[in-house]
Amino acid sequence: MNHPILGQIQALRADLAPGDTAPALVTALADGTAPRSALAELAAQQHRIIRSDRRSLLLLASRTADRPVGAWFATLAEGESAALRTLPALGAAVGLGRDALESRPPLPGCQAYPHYLAWLALNGEPAAAAAALVANFAAWGGYCATVAQALRRRYGFSDEACGFFDFFAQPAPELEQQAADALGPDRLDGPTLDTAREYGLLLQAYEHLFWDTLGVIDA
């Protein structure tokens, strides 16, 4: 069922779309010129990010446990758990054992996104947070699809090693529909949409900071 809110989510996604210019690291991976050290750091930083985001989503689910959107947040948290299980294979492909994957120190530019999501989990307006999160999925998924293809073609990675990126490269329309269903049949009001756009712009900025931070890592 297409709720009016689905159109609002899609419009927000279009409004937040980052354009045709991919982050420098994504482009370098596509060209096969990015160092494996950047991939190793990406795997280690994502290990921290995924664990933090899972807790943040569970907190949002707890805050909205009496509303349908609570189950949607919980579903996202389950997805983070699934993504976490794919990281050891990526780590192994770039020379990181499980201990090394878990013990790399955090890079501030990479950890800004999960820190902001944790802030949203504590302080954000849940409906606006849900709309902002789902509106940003397409850009992240597109980058992951590009990276997954590059790792196979340029770096000779196995399907198992690409599993993390494959997981997030899945199209987002189903999650958009689920979010619309969870948020209800009514349209989001103006203030909530404005807040969602504010959240979305910051999430997008912190995601770009993640890629930019990794993009300056030398071989």
Side-chain angles (χ1 to χ4, degrees):
M1 179 179 179
N2 288 328
H3 293 307
I5 203 170
L6 180 60
Q8 291 178 298
I9 289 173
Q10 292 169 341
L12 182 62
R13 167 165 47 82
D15 185 36
L16 295 173
D20 297 330
T21 303
L25 178 60
V26 175
T27 300
L29 287 167
D31 294 341
T33 59
R36 285 178 177 256
S37 56
L39 287 168
E41 199 61 68
L42 185 154
Q45 297 302 314
Q46 279 293 333
H47 193 271
R48 288 179 175 271
I49 290 169
I50 294 297
R51 288 183 298 169
S52 176
D53 286 356
R54 179 176 59 184
R55 295 187 186 100
S56 296
L57 291 166
L58 287 172
L59 179 54
L60 281 163
S62 177
R63 287 181 58 198
T64 53
D66 58 342
R67 294 153 57 186
V69 74
W72 186 80
F73 284 127
T75 297
L76 292 189
E78 291 172 5
E80 298 293 313
S81 295
L84 188 64
R85 292 192 289 271
T86 69
L87 279 173
L90 176 61
V94 293
L96 293 182
R98 188 177 293 272
D99 289 344
L101 190 67
E102 296 179 357
S103 62
R104 282 283 186 104
L107 296 179
C110 290
Q111 299 304 317
Y113 180 101
H115 280 64
Y116 182 60
L117 183 56
W119 184 92
L120 287 180
L122 287 168
N123 302 289
E125 200 286 305
L133 284 167
V134 74
N136 274 295
F137 285 159
W140 167 251
Y143 298 149
C144 286
T146 298
V147 172
Q149 183 180 62
L151 293 184
R152 289 181 170 92
R153 292 185 176 181
R154 303 288 191 178
Y155 296 82
F157 279 30
S158 68
D159 288 343
E160 184 181 17
C162 295
F164 175 81
F165 299 103
D166 288 339
F167 179 83
F168 287 109
Q170 299 300 316
E174 183 177 347
L175 276 175
E176 289 184 352
Q177 183 65 61
Q178 290 171 354
D181 292 340
L183 289 170
D186 298 324
R187 295 183 184 276
L188 295 171
D189 62 24
T192 302
L193 272 177
D194 289 343
T195 301
R197 186 175 186 277
E198 174 189 305
Y199 293 167
L201 286 170
L202 285 169
L203 288 169
Q204 185 182 90
Y206 293 138
E207 182 182 319
H208 277 284
L209 183 57
F210 167 83
W211 289 111
D212 291 344
T213 299
L214 295 174
V216 299
I217 292 175
D218 296 325

mmCIF file of all heavy atoms in Angstrom, residues 12 21 24 33 39-41 47 54 56 62 72 81-82 86 89 91 101 105 112 117 131 148 165 183 191 208 219:
data_model
loop_
_atom_site.group_PDB
_atom_site.id
_atom_site.type_symbol
_atom_site.label_atom_id
_atom_site.label_comp_id
_atom_site.label_asym_id
_atom_site.label_seq_id
_atom_site.Cartn_x
_atom_site.Cartn_y
_atom_site.Cartn_z
ATOM 1 N N LEU A 12 12.188 13.624 0.080
ATOM 2 C CA LEU A 12 13.298 13.964 0.968
ATOM 3 C C LEU A 12 14.587 13.320 0.462
ATOM 4 O O LEU A 12 15.649 13.953 0.477
ATOM 5 C CB LEU A 12 12.987 13.501 2.393
ATOM 6 C CG LEU A 12 14.020 13.822 3.471
ATOM 7 C CD1 LEU A 12 14.200 15.332 3.631
ATOM 8 C CD2 LEU A 12 13.606 13.190 4.814
ATOM 9 N N THR A 21 28.865 13.176 -8.006
ATOM 10 C CA THR A 21 30.274 13.079 -7.617
ATOM 11 C C THR A 21 30.413 12.180 -6.396
ATOM 12 O O THR A 21 29.972 12.530 -5.305
ATOM 13 C CB THR A 21 30.857 14.467 -7.309
ATOM 14 O OG1 THR A 21 30.700 15.306 -8.455
ATOM 15 C CG2 THR A 21 32.328 14.348 -6.970
ATOM 16 N N ALA A 24 36.048 10.574 -3.016
ATOM 17 C CA ALA A 24 37.302 10.268 -3.697
ATOM 18 C C ALA A 24 37.728 8.820 -3.487
ATOM 19 O O ALA A 24 38.249 8.176 -4.413
ATOM 20 C CB ALA A 24 38.388 11.223 -3.211
ATOM 21 N N THR A 33 42.963 2.118 -7.721
ATOM 22 C CA THR A 33 44.151 2.856 -7.273
ATOM 23 C C THR A 33 44.190 3.098 -5.767
ATOM 24 O O THR A 33 45.180 3.622 -5.258
ATOM 25 C CB THR A 33 44.236 4.213 -7.990
ATOM 26 O OG1 THR A 33 43.048 4.977 -7.722
ATOM 27 C CG2 THR A 33 44.375 4.026 -9.501
ATOM 28 N N LEU A 39 41.284 0.178 2.854
ATOM 29 C CA LEU A 39 40.244 -0.833 3.056
ATOM 30 C C LEU A 39 40.348 -1.460 4.445
ATOM 31 O O LEU A 39 39.336 -1.755 5.078
ATOM 32 C CB LEU A 39 40.361 -1.918 1.986
ATOM 33 C CG LEU A 39 39.904 -1.523 0.578
ATOM 34 C CD1 LEU A 39 40.348 -2.566 -0.430
ATOM 35 C CD2 LEU A 39 38.394 -1.356 0.544
ATOM 36 N N ALA A 40 41.575 -1.662 4.903
ATOM 37 C CA ALA A 40 41.759 -2.214 6.249
ATOM 38 C C ALA A 40 41.208 -1.252 7.295
ATOM 39 O O ALA A 40 40.516 -1.668 8.242
ATOM 40 C CB ALA A 40 43.246 -2.488 6.501
ATOM 41 N N GLU A 41 41.476 0.036 7.124
ATOM 42 C CA GLU A 41 40.965 1.011 8.075
ATOM 43 C C GLU A 41 39.453 1.099 7.985
ATOM 44 O O GLU A 41 38.756 1.253 9.005
ATOM 45 C CB GLU A 41 41.594 2.374 7.815
ATOM 46 C CG GLU A 41 41.487 3.323 8.990
ATOM 47 C CD GLU A 41 42.198 2.803 10.230
ATOM 48 O OE1 GLU A 41 43.432 2.723 10.222
ATOM 49 O OE2 GLU A 41 41.491 2.470 11.212
ATOM 50 N N HIS A 47 33.653 -1.680 12.027
ATOM 51 C CA HIS A 47 33.382 -2.583 13.146
ATOM 52 C C HIS A 47 32.897 -1.789 14.356
ATOM 53 O O HIS A 47 31.951 -2.193 15.052
ATOM 54 C CB HIS A 47 34.645 -3.373 13.492
ATOM 55 C CG HIS A 47 34.395 -4.536 14.396
ATOM 56 N ND1 HIS A 47 34.416 -4.432 15.765
ATOM 57 C CD2 HIS A 47 34.103 -5.821 14.126
ATOM 58 C CE1 HIS A 47 34.161 -5.609 16.312
ATOM 59 N NE2 HIS A 47 33.967 -6.477 15.345
ATOM 60 N N ARG A 54 23.972 -0.135 16.039
ATOM 61 C CA ARG A 54 23.005 -1.143 16.491
ATOM 62 C C ARG A 54 22.416 -0.744 17.844
ATOM 63 O O ARG A 54 21.189 -0.806 18.036
ATOM 64 C CB ARG A 54 23.697 -2.506 16.593
ATOM 65 C CG ARG A 54 22.782 -3.625 17.088
ATOM 66 C CD ARG A 54 23.504 -4.952 17.070
ATOM 67 N NE ARG A 54 24.706 -4.942 17.901
ATOM 68 C CZ ARG A 54 25.551 -5.969 17.988
ATOM 69 N NH1 ARG A 54 25.342 -7.065 17.282
ATOM 70 N NH2 ARG A 54 26.610 -5.897 18.776
ATOM 71 N N SER A 56 22.257 2.280 19.081
ATOM 72 C CA SER A 56 21.463 3.498 18.899
ATOM 73 C C SER A 56 20.082 3.166 18.352
ATOM 74 O O SER A 56 19.062 3.725 18.791
ATOM 75 C CB SER A 56 22.187 4.457 17.954
ATOM 76 O OG SER A 56 23.406 4.892 18.522
ATOM 77 N N SER A 62 13.353 1.232 21.599
ATOM 78 C CA SER A 62 12.833 1.242 22.960
ATOM 79 C C SER A 62 12.002 2.498 23.212
ATOM 80 O O SER A 62 10.945 2.436 23.861
ATOM 81 C CB SER A 62 13.989 1.156 23.955
ATOM 82 O OG SER A 62 13.530 1.236 25.284
ATOM 83 N N TRP A 72 10.199 -0.976 13.312
ATOM 84 C CA TRP A 72 11.048 -0.648 12.162
ATOM 85 C C TRP A 72 12.474 -0.375 12.614
ATOM 86 O O TRP A 72 13.429 -0.873 12.011
ATOM 87 C CB TRP A 72 10.474 0.553 11.427
ATOM 88 C CG TRP A 72 11.186 0.896 10.162
ATOM 89 C CD1 TRP A 72 11.046 0.291 8.951
ATOM 90 C CD2 TRP A 72 12.181 1.923 9.983
ATOM 91 N NE1 TRP A 72 11.878 0.882 8.025
ATOM 92 C CE2 TRP A 72 12.583 1.878 8.627
ATOM 93 C CE3 TRP A 72 12.750 2.871 10.839
ATOM 94 C CZ2 TRP A 72 13.536 2.750 8.109
ATOM 95 C CZ3 TRP A 72 13.703 3.740 10.319
ATOM 96 C CH2 TRP A 72 14.087 3.679 8.972
ATOM 97 N N SER A 81 23.249 -6.173 13.006
ATOM 98 C CA SER A 81 23.832 -7.421 13.521
ATOM 99 C C SER A 81 24.270 -8.318 12.369
ATOM 100 O O SER A 81 25.348 -8.933 12.416
ATOM 101 C CB SER A 81 22.805 -8.160 14.395
ATOM 102 O OG SER A 81 22.491 -7.417 15.551
ATOM 103 N N ALA A 82 23.437 -8.390 11.325
ATOM 104 C CA ALA A 82 23.796 -9.202 10.161
ATOM 105 C C ALA A 82 25.031 -8.638 9.473
ATOM 106 O O ALA A 82 25.926 -9.385 9.045
ATOM 107 C CB ALA A 82 22.615 -9.262 9.193
ATOM 108 N N THR A 86 29.500 -10.016 8.727
ATOM 109 C CA THR A 86 30.241 -10.081 7.462
ATOM 110 C C THR A 86 31.630 -9.443 7.565
ATOM 111 O O THR A 86 32.456 -9.633 6.663
ATOM 112 C CB THR A 86 29.461 -9.369 6.341
ATOM 113 O OG1 THR A 86 29.441 -7.949 6.594
ATOM 114 C CG2 THR A 86 28.029 -9.892 6.230
ATOM 115 N N ALA A 89 35.277 -11.490 7.438
ATOM 116 C CA ALA A 89 35.758 -11.914 6.118
ATOM 117 C C ALA A 89 36.423 -10.765 5.387
ATOM 118 O O ALA A 89 37.453 -10.939 4.718
ATOM 119 C CB ALA A 89 34.597 -12.474 5.293
ATOM 120 N N GLY A 91 37.829 -8.171 6.898
ATOM 121 C CA GLY A 91 39.062 -7.943 7.630
ATOM 122 C C GLY A 91 40.156 -8.925 7.216
ATOM 123 O O GLY A 91 41.309 -8.541 7.000
ATOM 124 N N LEU A 101 40.936 -6.299 14.061
ATOM 125 C CA LEU A 101 39.724 -5.631 13.590
ATOM 126 C C LEU A 101 39.046 -4.888 14.729
ATOM 127 O O LEU A 101 38.521 -3.784 14.543
ATOM 128 C CB LEU A 101 38.772 -6.664 12.982
ATOM 129 C CG LEU A 101 37.554 -6.165 12.217
ATOM 130 C CD1 LEU A 101 37.962 -5.460 10.936
ATOM 131 C CD2 LEU A 101 36.617 -7.337 11.888
ATOM 132 N N PRO A 105 42.353 1.822 16.816
ATOM 133 C CA PRO A 105 41.806 3.013 17.477
ATOM 134 C C PRO A 105 40.813 3.740 16.585
ATOM 135 O O PRO A 105 40.899 3.668 15.351
ATOM 136 C CB PRO A 105 43.049 3.872 17.743
ATOM 137 C CG PRO A 105 44.054 3.411 16.736
ATOM 138 C CD PRO A 105 43.800 1.947 16.538
ATOM 139 N N ALA A 112 32.297 10.257 13.559
ATOM 140 C CA ALA A 112 31.330 11.347 13.742
ATOM 141 C C ALA A 112 29.909 10.884 13.442
ATOM 142 O O ALA A 112 28.964 11.265 14.145
ATOM 143 C CB ALA A 112 31.706 12.532 12.848
ATOM 144 N N LEU A 117 24.365 9.679 15.358
ATOM 145 C CA LEU A 117 23.213 8.786 15.464
ATOM 146 C C LEU A 117 22.908 8.484 16.928
ATOM 147 O O LEU A 117 21.737 8.390 17.319
ATOM 148 C CB LEU A 117 23.463 7.498 14.686
ATOM 149 C CG LEU A 117 22.305 6.506 14.658
ATOM 150 C CD1 LEU A 117 21.023 7.145 14.122
ATOM 151 C CD2 LEU A 117 22.659 5.274 13.830
ATOM 152 N N ALA A 131 12.648 9.152 9.068
ATOM 153 C CA ALA A 131 12.600 9.684 7.710
ATOM 154 C C ALA A 131 13.988 10.048 7.213
ATOM 155 O O ALA A 131 14.344 9.777 6.059
ATOM 156 C CB ALA A 131 11.676 10.893 7.659
ATOM 157 N N ALA A 148 31.719 -2.890 -3.913
ATOM 158 C CA ALA A 148 31.640 -4.340 -4.048
ATOM 159 C C ALA A 148 32.086 -4.786 -5.441
ATOM 160 O O ALA A 148 32.840 -5.762 -5.592
ATOM 161 C CB ALA A 148 30.218 -4.818 -3.768
ATOM 162 N N PHE A 165 29.719 -5.127 1.827
ATOM 163 C CA PHE A 165 29.241 -4.147 0.855
ATOM 164 C C PHE A 165 28.013 -4.661 0.102
ATOM 165 O O PHE A 165 27.105 -3.898 -0.208
ATOM 166 C CB PHE A 165 30.362 -3.780 -0.109
ATOM 167 C CG PHE A 165 31.544 -3.165 0.581
ATOM 168 C CD1 PHE A 165 32.697 -3.902 0.820
ATOM 169 C CD2 PHE A 165 31.507 -1.855 1.030
ATOM 170 C CE1 PHE A 165 33.785 -3.342 1.462
ATOM 171 C CE2 PHE A 165 32.583 -1.279 1.688
ATOM 172 C CZ PHE A 165 33.730 -2.036 1.907
ATOM 173 N N LEU A 183 5.331 4.653 9.899
ATOM 174 C CA LEU A 183 5.044 6.025 10.311
ATOM 175 C C LEU A 183 3.573 6.372 10.160
ATOM 176 O O LEU A 183 3.127 7.400 10.674
ATOM 177 C CB LEU A 183 5.912 7.006 9.509
ATOM 178 C CG LEU A 183 7.394 6.984 9.887
ATOM 179 C CD1 LEU A 183 8.213 7.792 8.883
ATOM 180 C CD2 LEU A 183 7.608 7.533 11.287
ATOM 181 N N PRO A 191 6.814 20.863 10.379
ATOM 182 C CA PRO A 191 7.944 20.892 11.315
ATOM 183 C C PRO A 191 8.716 19.575 11.374
ATOM 184 O O PRO A 191 9.945 19.586 11.486
ATOM 185 C CB PRO A 191 7.265 21.207 12.651
ATOM 186 C CG PRO A 191 6.025 21.954 12.287
ATOM 187 C CD PRO A 191 5.549 21.303 11.017
ATOM 188 N N HIS A 208 30.001 11.701 4.536
ATOM 189 C CA HIS A 208 31.056 12.176 3.639
ATOM 190 C C HIS A 208 32.371 12.352 4.399
ATOM 191 O O HIS A 208 33.453 12.092 3.847
ATOM 192 C CB HIS A 208 30.633 13.486 2.976
ATOM 193 C CG HIS A 208 29.760 13.276 1.780
ATOM 194 N ND1 HIS A 208 30.253 12.851 0.569
ATOM 195 C CD2 HIS A 208 28.423 13.411 1.610
ATOM 196 C CE1 HIS A 208 29.264 12.744 -0.302
ATOM 197 N NE2 HIS A 208 28.141 13.062 0.308
ATOM 198 N N ALA A 219 49.274 4.318 1.322
ATOM 199 C CA ALA A 219 49.589 2.881 1.282
ATOM 200 C C ALA A 219 50.596 2.515 2.367
ATOM 201 O O ALA A 219 51.392 3.335 2.792
ATOM 202 C CB ALA A 219 50.157 2.536 -0.089
#
